[in-house]
Structure formats: C-alpha cells, structure tokens
Amino acid sequence: MPEGLQHTVRRMVGRDPDEDGRASTPLELFFDLTFVIAFGTAADQLAHALAEDHIGDGIVGFCFATFAVSWAWINFTWFASAYDTDDWIFRVTTMVQMVGVLVLALGLPKMFASLSHGDHVDNSLMVVGYVIMRVPMLFQWLRASREDPERREVCKVMAGTLLVAQVGWILLLLANLTIGPMFLVAGLLALLEFSGPVVAETRLVGTPWHGHHIAERYGLMVIIALGEGLLGTTTALGALIEGGWTTEIVVLGLSGTALTFGVWWTYFVIPHGELLSAHRERSFGWSYWHIPIFGSVVAIGAGLHAAAYYLDDRSALSATGTVLALALPLAVYFGCLFLLYALITRTMDPFHFLLIGSSAGIMALAVGLAWSGVSMVWCLTVLALVPWVTVVGYETVGHRHNAAVLAGLEEEQPLPG
C-alpha cells in the first residue's frame, strides 16, 4: 500500500531536519485557520477600544491577547516541525488544540471588556481555551519523550515547563487579582514559558526542527495577520459604501491596500529559511521577536479599521489620533523587522539607517499633517508610502547586502541545490 493512504500509528522519532522539499501540511494550514479567527477578534476589539477612546485598556488587552495567541501557535509549530507523524493520534490531538484556540478567541471580548469596565481581568474563558490546547500538547511531548530516546530529556523539560506554567495560569485565574498584580504575575509566567525551550534546546540535544519549514510557517502567519487588515478594512468600508461612494472612501481603501502590499513585500525580502538553517543557535531570538511582529501587523489592520470608523463618525479619536493609531504599529513593525534582520545575520548594512530614517521621517510627516488640519485620509496616503521606501531601497541597493550575507553562508556551508 502506498505510504500515506492510512494514518496508522507511527513512532515519534523526529523528522529529518534536512529533509528536501519540506512544506506546510494540510493539517498545519487547517490549524492556522483557527488563528485567523483569534487574530481577527483581537484586531476587532482593539479597533473598537480605540474608537471608544479606551486607548490604554485597548493596547494592554491587545498586547495580552497577541502574546496568548502567538505563543499558542509557536508551541505547536515548532513541535510539528520536529515531530509531525501525521498519524491519527497526531491529527486528533491537533484538532483538540484547534478547539482550544476557538475557545480562547471567544474569551477575548470578555477580557477586553473587563479591562474597560472593572478592576479585574476576566480571562476565564481564555484560560479554559489554553487548558484545552495544553493538555494534548503535553501528551505530545510525553509521547515524544517515550518514543525518541535520543531526545528524551529535552522532551521532558519541555513537558515539565509546559505543565508548571499551565498550573500557574490556572492558579492566577483562581487568585482573581486586580489588573496590576495580575499582569505582573502573568509576565513572570510568560518568562517561564520562554525559558523552557531555551534551556531544553541549548543545554540538551535539540529537537529536529526544519529551518525552511519553520520559515515558511512564520511567513504564512504574517500573511494571515496581513489578511486580517484587509478583511477588517474591507468590511468597514463596505458599510460606508452603502451610503454612496466618496473620494475619502476610495482614498482610504487604496491607501490601506497599498500599505498592506508594501508590508508583505518588506517581510519576504529576508531569506529566513536559509538563515535559520545555517544558524540554528539564533532561532530563539528570531522566533520570539516575531511575537511583536505578528502583533504589530494585526494592529496595523486594527488601525485601518479605526480609520474607517472615523470616516463613519463613529470614533472618539481625532484625526491626529487616528493617524497615530496606524503610524505607531507601523513603526513597531519596521523597528522589529530591522532588528530581526540584525539578530539573525549579526550584520547591519549602513544603508539600513538611511531607510529607517526616511521611514521615520515620512511617519512624522503624516502625523504632522494631521495635526495641522490636513484630511485624515490624505495623511494615511502619506503613511502608505512608508513600506515602499524599504521596498525600493532593497530592490535598488539593499539586495546586494543580502547577496553578500548568503554568499557568506555558502562559504560556511554550501546551500542545498
């Protein structure tokens, strides 16, 4: 019988980290769909909070939601890259995790509302979703520890850290702390979550994750985050169009689309797969630094949604505040992107400083124009130019630095093919 027609139980001994043609599986793509919902809910809640002038609460809630959603996805993605057996046990446990993500997403509106209207964080449904996700994830790590003797210790460390952190999140829920102490303890639990993989992978035999596969998975998550921006803006503009087309609606739609296209282009100029494969020891900084990247990309979509609310006279934000709602996450994205490149390559092209300075200047110009009374949508048109500074800079000059970096990798170890 040809391989793959029946999903019988297979030993979880680890995948080949140098496997040719490794790509995302249909199950992984199916798994990602649940995060479309989670990120979409977070973006929608942030846009509503901004429009209602609950800016501080909205930002805090969004950061908390972004960490929860991103970390849940990261946990599964790295495990699947190393140990995806695609047997019926792996499929069922993954589907249970998908249910957990959906429950987590259902809990996001309650968490945001509690920040705005109370002194306690209502993350009860989020914790339930995390428990539903973590129980099968714990089972998977224990299964790997049993069936992969060479990496038994690293799997046990991962399982132990996961279990302790999960118990901590449950106790935090039962403690019912006020907002300040709650986020302090949550920060400590987040540090525990981060430290587990670092200790396991650096001090013990690492798991056999695949560099190009991981890079593809993260790229797909960035695309999902970008899609939320397009979806949210399109939905909001659709409601506006019912009252008739206007120049402002057209300009906002075109500006949001151009901005999203430019952000996509800038992310994929970095050869993530080649760099990860050559420098596996740098994977932690690269992976964890994606959490603010994911969040900022989703927040860009929320900013565009807030701009649509402004046009519909449903926002308490001023024109300057609306432009800042888009400019700030855009600044975070580009700051994180250039730092990510420096972290993974251990280089910094002097030309990057020119790109960073030019981008910052354009963002400041857009905010200044809004403050001086220029129409909000035309200020967003100026903001839409920001990613294209890097795109043009890369295509004309910056690609040479990338070529030099890749040439250096070939000298260290020839690239496949």
Side-chain angles (χ1 to χ4, degrees):
M1 179 183 296
E3 185 178 353
L5 293 184
Q6 187 177 14
H7 300 92
T8 54
V9 178
R10 302 179 179 89
R11 281 194 66 201
M12 191 171 273
V13 294
R15 300 284 295 259
D16 179 3
D18 299 313
E19 179 183 343
D20 290 334
R22 182 73 188 278
S24 298
T25 66
L27 180 61
E28 287 176 314
L29 299 176
F30 190 32
F31 179 79
D32 288 351
L33 287 179
T34 58
F35 289 86
V36 172
I37 298 171
F39 273 145
T41 303
D44 188 55
Q45 291 298 311
L46 176 59
H48 280 291
L50 294 175
E52 295 171 359
D53 201 22
H54 297 152
I55 299 172
D57 294 332
I59 292 174
V60 170
F62 182 77
C63 290
F64 185 45
T66 296
F67 167 75
V69 174
S70 300
W71 187 245
W73 181 86
I74 287 172
N75 279 191
F76 169 81
T77 296
W78 286 84
F79 180 86
S81 186
Y83 287 109
D84 185 355
T85 55
D86 198 33
D87 56 14
W88 70 265
I89 297 177
F90 186 88
R91 289 188 167 201
V92 170
T93 53
T94 299
M95 290 176 181
V96 173
Q97 291 179 73
M98 292 168 66
V99 173
V101 177
L102 295 175
V103 174
L104 171 69
L106 289 173
L108 293 180
K110 294 180 63 177
M111 183 271 291
F112 274 90
S114 68
L115 289 173
S116 299
H117 305 296
D119 60 351
H120 289 75
V121 182
D122 186 354
N123 63 338
S124 55
L125 202 53
M126 293 176 64
V127 172
V128 171
Y130 244 69
V131 171
I132 295 173
M133 285 187 286
R134 291 306 182 90
V135 169
M137 195 75 258
L138 178 63
F139 169 80
Q140 292 279 46
W141 279 115
L142 292 175
R143 179 188 175 191
S145 72
R146 184 178 65 254
E147 299 179 11
D148 185 10
E150 180 183 355
R151 302 178 183 87
R152 179 165 295 154
E153 291 305 313
V154 67
C155 293
K156 286 184 177 179
V157 169
M158 299 290 269
T161 304
L162 189 153
L163 179 60
V164 171
Q166 187 59 58
V167 170
W169 287 112
I170 295 174
L171 292 177
L172 179 60
L173 173 63
L174 297 177
N176 195 29
L177 300 176
T178 55
I179 292 176
M182 180 271 174
F183 279 114
L184 176 62
V185 177
L188 295 175
L189 289 173
L191 288 176
L192 174 63
E193 300 248 11
F194 285 150
S195 65
V198 175
V199 172
E201 294 276 359
T202 58
R203 297 188 180 181
L204 301 168
V205 178
T207 57
W209 51 270
H210 192 288
H212 286 275
H213 174 251
I214 286 291
E216 181 192 22
R217 298 290 296 124
Y218 276 68
L220 290 171
M221 184 53 65
V222 169
I223 290 173
I224 285 174
L226 286 169
E228 289 308 315
L230 289 174
L231 178 62
T233 306
T234 302
T235 301
L237 289 177
L240 290 174
I241 291 171
E242 292 181 2
W245 287 87
T246 66
T247 301
E248 289 185 324
I249 292 174
V250 173
V251 171
L252 177 57
L254 292 175
S255 299
T257 303
L259 178 63
T260 304
F261 288 173
V263 169
W264 172 87
W265 199 318
T266 57
Y267 179 83
F268 287 100
V269 301
I270 302 176
H272 298 279
E274 288 82 358
L275 294 169
L276 274 178
S277 297
H279 297 292
R280 295 175 70 87
E281 76 282 0
R282 301 175 188 174
S283 61
F284 293 105
W286 181 90
S287 175
Y288 294 170
W289 206 242
H290 268 81
I291 294 177
I293 287 179
F294 293 152
S296 59
V297 172
V298 175
I300 289 171
L304 290 170
H305 201 161
Y309 283 145
Y310 178 88
L311 286 187
D312 199 26
D313 294 325
R314 295 168 54 196
S315 176
L317 289 177
S318 64
T320 304
T322 303
V323 173
L324 281 170
L326 189 56
L328 290 178
L330 190 61
V332 171
Y333 167 75
F334 276 102
C336 289
L337 187 70
F338 280 103
L339 282 173
L340 178 73
Y341 186 81
L343 283 172
I344 193 66
T345 65
R346 297 293 194 269
T347 66
M348 177 58 77
D349 185 354
F351 183 63
H352 289 174
F353 292 106
L354 177 60
L355 297 179
I356 293 170
S358 300
S359 299
I362 293 174
M363 283 186 268
L365 174 62
V367 175
L369 289 173
W371 182 78
S372 65
V374 176
S375 173
M376 183 272 297
V377 293
W378 293 112
C379 297
L380 294 192
T381 302
V382 174
L383 271 183
L385 298 175
V386 171
W388 294 99
V389 171
T390 298
V391 171
V392 173
Y394 172 80
E395 296 296 341
T396 56
V397 177
H399 66 277
R400 299 169 189 167
H401 184 73
N402 252 357
V405 169
L406 291 176
L409 296 182
E410 291 177 351
E411 291 175 4
E412 297 171 16
Q413 182 178 358
L415 294 174

